[in-house]
Amino acid sequence: MSDLEALLDRLKGAQRDLLLEAAKVAMLPPDSMLRRVADLENTIAAVEALIDEQARRPGRAED
């Protein structure tokens, strides 16, 4: 597994944990938690795009 894939797994796990924590509360999660989830989503998308870009690059080195 490449470093980027390991990072992606950690980011998705952190986001999943936040969402599960938010689901336990009977009210809307605080804005700070929503921002953290959104920030993680943006970072996840960026890492996925980089992984995809590297996969399409000819002659790339495997990590």
Side-chain angles (χ1 to χ4, degrees):
M1 177 180 295
S2 76
D3 292 341
L4 286 174
E5 290 168 333
L7 173 60
L8 184 60
D9 286 344
R10 291 192 307 272
L11 291 167
K12 287 181 176 181
Q15 186 183 47
R16 183 175 30 261
D17 292 346
L18 280 173
L19 291 169
L20 291 172
E21 183 181 329
K24 292 178 184 177
V25 180
M27 52 195 284
L28 285 175
D31 287 344
S32 60
M33 182 180 283
L34 294 175
R35 273 193 299 276
R36 286 170 50 200
V37 169
D39 287 344
L40 283 165
E41 186 64 27
N42 288 334
T43 306
I44 288 167
V47 172
E48 287 175 334
L50 186 54
I51 290 170
D52 185 52
E53 177 185 310
Q54 286 187 345
R56 288 183 284 141
R57 190 178 295 166
R60 69 179 178 92
E62 281 292 322
D63 291 321

